[in-house]
Amino acid sequence: IIHCRQPEAVDKRYVSLIIPCRAHLEKSFHFDCLREKTSYITLNNIKNCGILVIQMAAEAAYLKYYTYRRERWKEKIMEYTNDRGALTLKFPVQSFRKIPNPYLKEEEGDKEAAMYVAICDVKELPANIPMETNPREQRLTTNVAKKIKNSLLDPAAFDFYLLNRGLLLSARTVSFDNYSNQMTIVFEDPDVHGNVDGGHTYKIILANRDQLDLGQQYVKLEILTGVENIFQNLAAARNTSVQVQDKSIAELEKRFEIIKDAIGSEAFSKRVYFKENDSGDIDVADLLAMLNMFNIHKYPGKENFPVVSYSAKKKCIDYYIEYHKKFGESAENPYVKMVPIMCDIFKLYDRIEISMSRFYRQKNQSGRYGSVKGVAAPKGGRSLESKFYGKQLDLYSPTGFLYPILGAFRALVKEENGVYGWKTDPFAVLERVGGELV
């Protein structure tokens, strides 16, 4: 998302393009059209800096931002990188095995994914495995963290690799040298390659392994390759333990009554589950992720964006619980204000999901939406249905496609007389601009 600001200078000689970065980068980029030049843009006479120049400069500004992230990645691990800027880690392991992909000989299924399992001495585990890919903050003062530490440092136990789930890593490639027992892992893309799960275990090992001897404790490593296209789903699926706990506690404390009352008359309400082992097929975390996109109290303008709705649903649960603890069910709670449009949000999601293929063809008449990577057609005589209202789907669309389109409609939300409402009919707007959005 790029914001363009034109200065008050008389000749309008430059445009500042600001690209909001991820939270952990904590900076923005200002692109000066007059001074910066790349292979994407050649600027000569820019006295009248029009929209075309702004769009061109925006592309160049993105290149500058992308280049910065690559440089940051290189600086962080420069001594371990190859010529392409990828992080390569080579270290000894006690055992190594490749798990065969069960779909390699089948007509269906993802054939690119591969799984590797290794056992590594905690003393020889690299200290610079990328952590930006882990959606959860590592707090080492929790009871769970203390239990992991105690298990690691127990002088009478030699079973840490059995008791602990270990580390889950996503990587570009993995190889093993049978002669030296060295494993080599290549992390190429900082967005999808790195630690996915087991961040607490990793941090605890690094902080305490000096107290151990070589050969005393081991940790299991699970490395996945070829999962770039499903990375967000993978991260969400593997980081559920704390999410389940917080959700179950919130249900016991009756914090979800706002949502239950709002959707009570909807057909899908009985299918929503609010705690572990409840019946149903719709997770309340999915509802909270969608509602978070429309919280104009938290995201009032175009400076911050609800990317956590897709990348870290645990945070969406946290946000909801924090607001409920602070405001209860009073009119100050943004989720209480959201009640009048809450069901519209879920209906809008279904409408987008149902219409993806139709909107795609509007702007790409010769293209096939079903051939887009990540999109899937029903097979084996099974049918596909929309998430909430069970409408028939011709194709499955990943949430990574649907969420940004749904979140764009936050621009139509207004607060009036203490409640949220629509500036205009969102369903009519979807019909007008759906092709552009898809």
Side-chain angles (χ1 to χ4, degrees):
I1 308 298
I2 297 179
H3 305 295
C4 303
R5 291 197 312 213
Q6 202 160 16
E8 299 300 325
V10 176
D11 60 359
K12 298 182 178 179
R13 298 185 67 197
Y14 67 93
V15 170
S16 176
L17 297 162
I18 306 171
I19 305 178
C21 304
R22 293 191 174 191
H24 66 269
L25 294 181
E26 295 181 350
K27 68 180 295 186
S28 294
F29 288 85
H30 298 262
F31 183 84
D32 189 330
C33 293
L34 182 65
R35 196 171 61 244
E36 301 280 358
K37 296 181 180 180
T38 74
S39 58
Y40 283 88
I41 182 171
T42 302
L43 297 175
N44 296 316
N45 180 9
I46 57 170
K47 287 187 177 180
N48 296 316
C49 217
I51 186 65
L52 179 61
V53 173
I54 291 176
Q55 290 175 339
M56 292 172 67
E59 189 173 21
Y62 174 76
L63 180 65
K64 182 181 179 184
Y65 165 57
Y66 185 78
T67 302
Y68 167 79
R69 293 198 62 225
R70 285 293 178 185
E71 290 302 319
R72 177 179 178 271
W73 174 264
K74 289 179 184 177
E75 291 171 4
K76 185 177 178 183
I77 41 80
M78 186 171 294
E79 64 271 28
Y80 301 94
T81 61
N82 60 25
D83 293 338
R84 294 188 302 167
L87 168 62
T88 300
L89 299 180
K90 186 175 183 180
F91 55 99
V93 294
Q94 296 300 307
S95 61
F96 176 90
R97 185 185 178 192
K98 179 178 180 179
I99 309 298
N101 185 327
Y103 293 104
L104 285 179
K105 297 181 180 180
E106 303 291 336
E107 292 184 5
E108 301 179 3
D110 185 355
K111 298 173 178 55
E112 295 182 7
M115 179 188 296
Y116 305 83
V117 176
I119 302 297
C120 175
D121 193 307
V122 297
K123 298 280 285 186
E124 296 179 313
L125 190 65
N128 60 331
I129 295 174
M131 293 296 294
E132 287 87 347
T133 43
N134 192 306
R136 189 187 299 173
E137 292 182 11
Q138 287 78 45
R139 292 183 296 169
L140 305 187
T141 56
T142 64
N143 289 332
V144 172
K146 292 176 182 177
K147 289 180 180 179
I148 295 174
K149 178 181 176 181
N150 292 337
S151 175
L152 176 69
L153 298 179
D154 187 346
F158 301 91
D159 52 8
F160 182 75
Y161 77 103
L162 296 173
L163 302 180
N164 187 274
R165 291 189 303 179
L167 311 185
L168 173 65
L169 310 177
S170 167
R172 178 70 179 86
T173 61
V174 181
S175 60
F176 179 69
D177 187 332
N178 285 298
Y179 294 99
S180 64
N181 283 339
Q182 297 263 333
M183 180 172 66
T184 301
I185 308 178
V186 177
F187 303 96
E188 189 173 271
D189 187 337
D191 286 330
V192 293
H193 293 156
N195 179 275
V196 182
D197 188 26
H200 286 84
T201 295
Y202 182 53
K203 292 291 183 68
I204 289 168
I205 287 174
L206 295 184
N208 297 279
R209 64 182 177 179
D210 288 344
Q211 304 176 47
L212 298 170
D213 296 324
L214 192 67
Q216 185 174 347
Q217 294 288 17
Y218 297 88
V219 64
K220 182 181 74 171
L221 306 179
E222 181 183 353
I223 309 103
L224 303 180
T225 62
V227 295
E228 289 81 3
N229 292 315
I230 63 165
F231 176 78
Q232 298 295 349
N233 289 339
L234 174 69
R238 292 297 189 100
N239 283 271
T240 58
S241 55
V242 178
Q243 173 181 315
V244 168
Q245 179 187 10
D246 290 351
K247 184 171 61 181
S248 298
I249 293 173
E251 168 64 359
L252 291 173
E253 295 174 342
K254 298 188 180 299
R255 298 194 185 278
F256 292 127
E257 301 306 305
I258 299 171
I259 295 176
K260 289 180 180 180
D261 291 343
I263 66 173
S265 60
E266 301 298 316
F268 68 85
S269 62
K270 302 298 182 184
R271 295 164 47 211
V272 179
Y273 64 93
F274 295 86
K275 63 181 180 180
E276 189 178 7
N277 298 325
D278 260 3
S279 60
D281 62 333
I282 300 176
D283 192 342
V284 68
D286 293 338
L287 273 63
L288 295 179
M290 295 180 197
L291 297 179
N292 179 64
M293 300 181 205
F294 291 84
N295 186 348
I296 57 175
H297 179 268
K298 189 169 188 63
Y299 309 103
K302 297 180 180 180
E303 298 302 319
N304 297 309
F305 300 90
V307 293
V308 296
S309 290
Y310 181 61
S311 62
K313 289 182 181 178
K314 165 69 169 60
K315 289 189 177 181
C316 298
I317 297 175
D318 291 342
Y319 293 158
Y320 178 86
I321 294 174
E322 287 170 9
Y323 279 118
H324 198 280
K325 286 181 177 179
K326 185 175 181 180
F327 300 114
E329 296 183 10
S330 71
E332 295 180 88
N333 190 328
Y335 291 91
V336 173
K337 297 178 181 182
M338 207 181 299
V339 167
I341 66 168
M342 205 171 275
C343 291
D344 285 344
I345 293 170
F346 306 134
K347 291 175 182 176
L348 190 60
Y349 179 90
D350 259 39
R351 183 75 64 85
I352 294 169
E353 188 178 23
I354 294 165
S355 307
M356 288 291 286
S357 181
R358 174 169 61 91
F359 287 144
Y360 181 83
R361 290 194 298 271
Q362 286 181 7
K363 291 295 179 178
N364 190 9
Q365 295 181 0
S366 61
R368 291 179 60 252
Y369 181 61
S371 64
V372 176
K373 199 156 192 176
V375 177
K379 295 180 181 180
R382 292 177 295 179
S383 60
L384 296 174
E385 295 182 345
S386 62
K387 185 175 184 70
F388 293 107
Y389 294 94
K391 303 295 183 182
Q392 186 171 352
L393 299 176
D394 54 348
L395 293 167
Y396 162 82
S397 300
T399 53
F401 291 1
L402 301 171
Y403 275 22
I405 298 173
L406 178 67
F409 285 84
R410 185 177 66 263
L412 299 184
V413 177
K414 64 179 180 179
E415 181 175 348
E416 195 170 76
N417 298 323
V419 295
Y420 288 2
W422 300 108
K423 298 175 183 177
T424 187
D425 184 354
F427 299 95
V429 173
L430 176 62
E431 288 302 315
R432 288 201 306 271
V433 303
E436 304 265 353
L437 293 172
V438 173

